[in-house]
Amino acid sequence: MAPRTAAAATELEEPHSMPGLHFNQPLSWRAGKPIAVADLLRRLQTLSRELQGMEQEQNDRESFTKVAKELVNPNLLSHKDKGVKALTACCLVDILRICAPDAPFTGPQLKDIFNLCITQILPVLADPSHAYNNQHIYVLNSLAVVKSIILLADLPNPDVLITAVFKICFDVLAAPAKTTDGEGLQRSVESDMTSMLVSLVDETAELPADAVDIIVAQFLRTDPKAVSGSVGKNKKNGIVDEKQSTLVLRQLPPAYNMAKYICNSCPEIMARYFSQYFNDIVIDASQTSSHKVPSKNKKRHSDGVGDSDDDHTAGPNEEGISDLRKVHGLLRELWRACPGVLQNVIPQLEAELSAENIQLRLLATETFGDIISGIGAAGPPALPRMDPAAYPSNALADPSENTTSLNLVTKPSSPEPFPRTHPQAYANYLGRRLDKSALVRAAWTTGVGRILITSAGGAGLNREEEDCLIADLGRTLGDSDDKVRIAAVRVVSNFSFRDIVHKLGRSGGVDESGSVLATLAERVKDLKQPVRAEAMPVLARIWGVAVGEISAGNQEVCALLKGIPSKILNTHYTNDIEVMSLLDHVFFEQLLPLHYPPIKAKTPKITSGNSQDAKESQGEPTDPDKIRTERILFLVRDLDERAKKVFYINQSRQPTLGPYVTAFLERCEEYNGGVMDENETQIKEHLTRLIKTFAGRFANPQQASADLWKFAKMHDRRSYQLIRFCMKPDTDYRTFIKATKELTKRMVELSPSTTASNSLVETLTSLLYQISLIVYNKSHVPAIMEYSRTDDKSLAATAHELLREISSKTPEVLKAHVQAICKTLQDEAPTAKKANDAGAVDNLKACASFASKYPKEIPQDLRFRQAMTSFALHGSPAEAAKYAVSVIWAASEKKQMLVRDLMQQCLKGFQYGGEGFLSRLATLSQLMLLAPNEIGQDSADAIHDIAIKQILKQVRQPSKKAADAYEWSSTIDTEALAKIWALRILVNHIRSHGDAESLPAVAAPVYRLLLSLIEQQGELSPAQDTPATHKPRLRLFAARLYLKLCTHKTHEALLSASAFNALAVVAQDPIREVRAAFLQRLKKYLHHQKLSQRFYTIPFLFAFEPSDQVKSDVTTWIKSRATIFSNTRSQQMGSSSKVNTVMESVIARLISLLAHHPDYANEVEDANKAEDLILMSHYIIFYLQNVATEDNLSLIYHIAQRVKACRDAIGSRPAADAPPTEADDRLYHLSDLAQLTIRKYEDTHNWTIQTLPGKVRLPSSLFSEIKSHSEAQRIAEHNYLPEDVEAGVEEYLKDTLRKSRPGHGKKRKSEGDPDGREAKKAKALPVRKATGTGNAKEKKEKAMPKKVAVKTKTPTKTKKTTEPKEMDSGERRRSGRAKPAEKNYVERDSEEDDEEMYMDAAAYQEPGTDPEVDDLANDSDPTSDGKNEEVPTMKQGQPEADQDGEEEEESDKEKESDEEESTPIPTSRSKRKPTTSPQSNPKVRRPTVKAKPVRSKAPPTRGKAKQVPSDDDDEDDEDALSDPPDAE
């Protein structure tokens, strides 16, 4: 029994032998008898050590009961000693660990335990230096590892504690460590806290809303502009922490990482919370709406057919929108961190894309764009480095292009490819491109740009998706709203150079229509100034960055971007002063930055061409002047012809404006800051006029005027000197830069405020850009000369061209280098067996231009004279001989002797085809002009014999084609060149003739020869066998020689009215190149005021011009001149009795010209007469479109009426009492036609024609008075117009005006047509082949409107007419009859005729220009920069600040004439009763047109064609139609 008993006893004792707690010391006490702190700490430490050593196995649970009860005693939980609480917490978490899962605590006790751990223990973890930090970490670790924290969820009402856990944990990680020794938080703290919170989220049935808010708030810690505190839906009016606005984070915050880990660990749970959170925010925002009343029948146009931003639907107010903006920023960051939690939010966000409220759609669009781009709350990454002044320039292979942002919070990151994760939402987002609101479309554009730049946040886009987005971006550049276009331009500016080439470049370059880059280039001519101001710098910056690759010969970059400078410079033709001002800034700040290259200068070394194999050694110190020159040459090389004109014109402004700036500075010195001892009134008036002149060149004249007055009142003499430094031709580039820097600094120091200084600096900078020799600087000349010699990087041709321009416009710059040029010419002098270098011609021209101004600077040694003689005899091309003669005559001390020797050598044994015969002809031509007194009669006869008998009368290559063959060739052969030089010899002879009395007799044969060439279409041979390709060249050259002769008043008087009419018809030559070249020369002479006012009639013959380019050229030019004359007239009205009516008076000469036009038949049937008149009305309508305004229409009408009161005076003049001739009838028909057209034009524009007092006298060379009053009365009362004319004119006028409206044919710009404008092509009208004989029946070949019923009043709108039959675009009108040459070459001076006609119009002079300054500027317009007017691409008819004034030379008789009656421009209006004529409506036959087509051959190919020699000895602008001839 004992063993059993013993065994039983043992069995009974086993349960009590389980491991248990051995600690038995008291931990609680009665009130008033507390345990000493030291003892209590010792006991707690003992207990803690024992508990830590116990594992989670079978233990005696009852042994923990007493200790557990004592540990939750308030005496310990609320003890004031931190150590007691820390150790108590350690013991409690151990008991929870050991007794898990059944804690020996009641619910309230657990709540107290967690309250201790959460509120007392966890917060002090932020202080790693705390004495009990290890105990605190132990508590945290236990809660996390054992997951005791989940017991919190089982407590009643645990929300407060759960919220406190989240708040305290995130605060601990977010707060900086409080230690003084730099010790930070242990990594285990972050890990344990994260684990603990994940467990809590995973096990809690419903997290408190405040806890979700706290998690949400962590994702905004990456936002530098995050609001302080959380962004929960109940947090309003958060205050932006400005200290974080410039925060750059190198790593993600620990609190952010913890929140991110929580969301990624429990994506489905957190997705539910975030969906509710987002929904609550939206509901709260909607509850704060301002409750707008929705309009009835309001439809949502989310498909984007409208353009209005009006929104009548109720939506959130400002406070609600602010909250929504915060939560949308949160969504951006959530997608970067944990996209899985947004699975339920994306559909809600997608719904906002279709919301009625514009603010919601805008927010959703912005948010989707950033989400897809992987851009978070911190915003987009820093913009790429795009510095056009950097050296070396950006390269596609540059590693910096691939480096990612070091700022992790701004680095785009998309963990998942959004287009594939949420395809429906992505598709709906793309649909916002057509949103009705421009704001939404602009936001969409920004988003798409970011998607392309970031490659969808790094997730990548397939090729199809990327191409689609690029195409859409291009469409937004042509959107109908300027806000969208501006957004698109800014998007492009954010692309890196690599992305521009490899992404945007995929759609094509700037010259490929429809591409993104081409559409961006079109924005520089946008109708809206803000768009232009954004687009032009962006486009220029792209080229400035790409110039390195362009210079390196990267074909891909060249094909895409080399056309950018041309696109920018062509904006000059818009004639908009704001555009021109912007162009200056962009040119010198982006294309050619003043501070490029930003390296220190070394001693310039001009070495061989191999020295610039520099790309492989870009880091080596190099001559900055040579680097800058190379950039200039590359820019000029790639310019198209129109842009090149602008480039050279802008560089030539300094010689024109320099004298006026000098006068301005002198007047400022006399003004003395407003304190003057004498001449105060005169000085102020003069200074006022000068400032007014300069202010007119600025976009804001008032501000510019105020700034210039401010500058004058400063009276800073040092500033005056600095401006003079900038203007001086001998100032090197380094001195110029220093002067501009110092001037800017002084203006800032002397200005009273920052705003005033900025405005003044801006004004002076713009002025300096116009008056300084920046490109044509003396520092660039050595490098230009080197490139011209070595052809390094194939820049020799461009260098020669630039050197030629410098020599002709600013030869002063060459002073320091002329000896080097002369030395080069000596070394390259040709001989009979050795040809000169092709670039010698440019050096010779430079030397000739310089010698004309500074002859003493030219070498006088024998070797140089021999070199010039060699060029004169053997130079190739022949222009070299011409310039060599000019150098000899201008600079040689023995020029008479050298000239005689040259002439003898040229004449001796001259034979066509002999060695250097073209050079000899050129030399003889120049000698006839420069040294007529050195040429004896015998020599002159010999020269004429060579020119006429050996050259002009010979046809060495007879044409095998039909006699009327007339063709253009891009090349010109030797025989044609020889004839051109022969013509020049004859013309130069009469140009140099000094005897005015004998001039008519001497000039008559030459005038007959030129007229014959013009009328016979270049045919001189009686056998009619001149080669077809020679004839257009000879006709063009004859016309241009006529124009040159007419630049001199004595020669212009020899041009009869009939010869003038024949010359005018050259404007309708069948060949486009002839018409364009003739127009260009005509514009040039009129622009420089070298031709009389009657030549303004010729441009209006381009009404039927089939070439859009040529017609646009002439249209813009006419409008530009008309605007200048109009502005001048308005200024003269108040200060002078004479007013300028140049363009208005042209109508009389135009009527006379049309009356004698070859296409206007003499005797035809009425039906065909009506047809002719309707076609003639096209010229008048073209005139009215470009000249007529509401203010001058009455004057034009009055002048047209006066024509009917005169008789035709061209040719033989009938007796005063003779009946009207056929010529008179043509005048009266056209006068009535002009009046009818003007009245219809008036009605169309709702203007009023006023009755004018007085009468206008017309030119007596064209019109003579009707002496019989009764005859004059009969003519005035008779209507000469056939019956069908009125309806035809009205219909054509309406059609023309409709097509000319800006909105005609306009599409929505965002779809298919980037500019929103359809191409408008010139209407091609019938043309007849010139046969030399007129036949009235040929008129039946013209197109006529169909039968129209005409009433006495304006026809109703229901009446229809048929458009004239359209022909091939290559066909056009030209003369079909040749008129006999006028035998009398001397007629009444056209200047006197103009004086009679122009009603005492004052000669044009820029108002406010001082005569003293005019003398300095050679009587040029102070607002001029030598601009040639060209094609408009934005606005037409704008004031053109760059135009020269049109100052007519007053004849002696003009001053004596007192016959004219002044006809003022009316200021009051009286409604004219419309007059109509009864007309019938006969049937009109539609003709069959037999037209001669214009050759559609491409323009001449550069580099291969031979060039027509220059016909201008002092200007020498080369023929625009051909290139320098090959040496023969």
Side-chain angles (χ1 to χ4, degrees), residues 213 347 372 398 444 490 494 685 724 763 1039 1207 1357 1389:
D213 286 358
I372 301 170
D398 189 351
W444 183 90
R490 290 174 178 170
N494 294 337
E685 289 179 353
R724 291 188 176 102
T763 299
R1207 302 186 66 177
K1357 295 183 179 179
D1389 193 337

Side-chain angles (χ1 to χ4, degrees), residues 1093-1115:
Q1093 294 174 357
R1094 65 169 164 169
F1095 285 88
Y1096 277 100
T1097 311
I1098 298 177
F1100 295 101
L1101 293 185
F1102 284 84
F1104 289 100
E1105 174 59 47
S1107 169
D1108 291 345
Q1109 183 68 49
V1110 176
K1111 190 167 186 179
S1112 295
D1113 280 355
V1114 71
T1115 298

Side-chain angles (χ1 to χ4, degrees), residues 328 331-332 335 345-353 361-375 418 422 424-426 428-430 432 443-444 447-448 451:
H328 280 74
L331 296 180
R332 294 173 171 89
W335 177 263
V345 178
I346 295 299
Q348 294 175 271
L349 187 62
E350 181 184 352
E352 289 186 359
L353 287 175
R361 294 204 312 277
L362 179 61
L363 277 175
T365 304
E366 293 173 345
T367 303
F368 265 118
D370 285 349
I371 285 177
I372 301 170
S373 305
I375 295 174
F418 190 91
H422 301 280
Q424 184 60 44
Y426 180 70
N428 288 342
Y429 170 72
L430 294 183
R432 286 305 96 201
W444 183 90
V448 165
I451 294 171

Side-chain angles (χ1 to χ4, degrees), residues 137 170 351 421 641 669 680 984 1012 1400 1417:
I137 294 176
F170 284 114
T421 305
E641 289 303 317
E669 291 175 334
E680 179 176 352
R984 194 174 289 202
S1012 176
D1400 295 332

Side-chain angles (χ1 to χ4, degrees), residues 573 642 645 1043 1075-1091 1095-1096 1099 1102 1109-1110 1112-1118 1121 1427-1431 1443 1446:
Y573 297 119
R642 287 163 47 79
K645 291 177 185 178
L1043 292 178
R1075 302 194 302 271
F1078 177 70
L1079 172 65
Q1080 189 64 26
R1081 186 55 57 91
L1082 177 66
K1083 291 193 304 180
K1084 173 185 174 182
Y1085 289 149
L1086 286 173
H1087 170 70
H1088 292 293
Q1089 309 166 45
K1090 292 186 177 182
L1091 292 175
F1095 285 88
Y1096 277 100
F1102 284 84
Q1109 183 68 49
V1110 176
S1112 295
D1113 280 355
V1114 71
T1115 298
T1116 303
W1117 186 84
I1118 293 172
R1121 308 315 294 172
K1427 173 183 180 298
N1428 285 331
E1429 303 83 356
E1430 292 290 342
V1431 181
Q1443 299 289 354
E1446 297 294 325

Side-chain angles (χ1 to χ4, degrees), residues 652-722:
S652 64
R653 288 178 295 185
Q654 193 276 343
T656 304
L657 295 178
Y660 297 99
V661 178
T662 300
F664 171 69
L665 297 178
E666 291 174 355
R667 297 302 172 268
C668 287
E669 291 175 334
E670 296 173 357
Y671 185 67
N672 195 28
V675 180
M676 293 154 282
D677 296 332
E678 56 184 9
N679 299 328
E680 179 176 352
T681 303
Q682 180 181 358
I683 293 172
K684 285 185 176 180
E685 289 179 353
H686 192 186
L687 189 58
T688 300
R689 292 197 300 271
L690 285 170
I691 290 178
K692 183 178 180 181
T693 296
F694 288 123
R697 303 182 66 85
F698 290 84
N700 187 346
Q702 294 79 12
Q703 184 61 49
S705 177
D707 290 335
L708 292 175
W709 273 113
K710 190 184 305 177
F711 176 78
K713 292 176 182 178
M714 285 181 177
H715 192 51
D716 182 42
R717 295 184 180 275
R718 177 59 181 171
S719 298
Y720 302 157
Q721 187 59 34
L722 291 173

Side-chain angles (χ1 to χ4, degrees), residues 981-1249:
W981 283 112
L983 288 174
R984 194 174 289 202
I985 288 174
L986 300 179
V987 170
N988 282 349
H989 179 221
I990 62 175
R991 287 176 63 195
S992 60
H993 190 80
D995 186 6
E997 295 183 359
S998 60
L999 178 62
V1002 174
V1006 179
Y1007 273 67
R1008 285 196 298 269
L1009 175 63
L1010 296 178
L1011 184 60
S1012 176
L1013 282 171
I1014 291 173
E1015 291 185 332
Q1016 300 301 324
Q1017 291 192 328
E1019 182 64 76
L1020 279 178
S1021 172
Q1024 301 287 310
D1025 57 355
T1026 301
T1029 57
H1030 289 190
K1031 291 192 286 187
R1033 296 276 184 178
L1034 293 175
R1035 189 187 196 208
L1036 170 62
F1037 201 73
R1040 291 170 65 161
L1041 288 176
Y1042 247 150
L1043 292 178
K1044 176 169 285 298
L1045 287 170
C1046 291
T1047 59
H1048 300 277
K1049 186 176 179 181
T1050 53
H1051 294 91
E1052 200 267 346
L1054 302 179
L1055 183 67
S1056 65
S1058 58
F1060 174 85
N1061 291 343
L1063 173 64
V1065 177
V1066 177
Q1068 295 181 314
D1069 191 274
I1071 295 178
R1072 177 192 181 280
E1073 287 80 1
V1074 175
R1075 302 194 302 271
F1078 177 70
L1079 172 65
Q1080 189 64 26
R1081 186 55 57 91
L1082 177 66
K1083 291 193 304 180
K1084 173 185 174 182
Y1085 289 149
L1086 286 173
H1087 170 70
H1088 292 293
Q1089 309 166 45
K1090 292 186 177 182
L1091 292 175
S1092 65
Q1093 294 174 357
R1094 65 169 164 169
F1095 285 88
Y1096 277 100
T1097 311
I1098 298 177
F1100 295 101
L1101 293 185
F1102 284 84
F1104 289 100
E1105 174 59 47
S1107 169
D1108 291 345
Q1109 183 68 49
V1110 176
K1111 190 167 186 179
S1112 295
D1113 280 355
V1114 71
T1115 298
T1116 303
W1117 186 84
I1118 293 172
K1119 288 186 176 182
S1120 172
R1121 308 315 294 172
T1123 300
I1124 289 178
F1125 289 131
S1126 176
N1127 293 340
T1128 305
R1129 179 174 63 245
S1130 63
Q1131 294 165 347
Q1132 292 172 340
M1133 290 280 289
S1135 59
S1136 173
S1137 60
K1138 296 183 178 182
V1139 293
N1140 194 314
T1141 58
V1142 175
M1143 301 304 288
E1144 291 80 4
S1145 304
V1146 165
I1147 186 64
R1149 290 191 177 274
L1150 179 60
I1151 292 174
S1152 174
L1153 177 59
L1154 295 179
H1156 292 272
H1157 194 280
D1159 284 341
Y1160 188 37
N1162 293 329
E1163 296 179 358
V1164 294
E1165 299 175 0
D1166 286 345
N1168 293 323
K1169 175 71 73 174
E1171 178 184 353
D1172 272 354
L1173 288 171
I1174 292 176
L1175 291 178
M1176 290 294 110
S1177 71
H1178 295 185
Y1179 295 104
I1180 300 174
I1181 292 173
F1182 182 67
Y1183 168 83
L1184 293 174
Q1185 281 184 296
N1186 293 292
V1187 176
T1189 65
E1190 186 175 7
D1191 294 329
N1192 67 7
L1193 189 67
S1194 300
L1195 178 59
I1196 295 172
Y1197 183 80
H1198 182 65
I1199 295 174
Q1201 278 184 320
R1202 285 286 300 137
V1203 173
K1204 202 172 179 182
C1206 301
R1207 302 186 66 177
D1208 184 84
I1210 296 179
S1212 58
R1213 303 194 179 191
D1217 55 350
T1221 63
E1222 293 179 2
D1224 295 334
D1225 286 342
R1226 291 197 297 270
L1227 272 184
Y1228 303 151
H1229 278 86
L1230 289 172
S1231 176
D1232 280 344
L1233 176 67
Q1235 295 175 57
L1236 170 66
T1237 306
I1238 294 171
R1239 291 197 302 270
K1240 297 298 181 183
Y1241 195 84
E1242 169 207 16
D1243 295 338
T1244 304
H1245 289 78
N1246 294 322
W1247 293 347
T1248 302
I1249 293 181

Side-chain angles (χ1 to χ4, degrees), residues 36-67:
V37 174
D39 292 339
L40 187 57
L41 289 173
R42 186 173 59 255
R43 296 174 188 177
L44 288 173
Q45 288 174 353
T46 301
L47 175 60
S48 178
R49 281 192 295 270
E50 183 177 356
L51 291 173
Q52 290 178 18
M54 299 180 71
E55 297 297 331
Q56 212 175 16
E57 299 174 353
Q58 289 187 352
N59 293 300
D60 185 4
R61 302 294 180 100
E62 295 181 0
S63 63
F64 297 97
T65 303
K66 178 183 177 183
V67 173

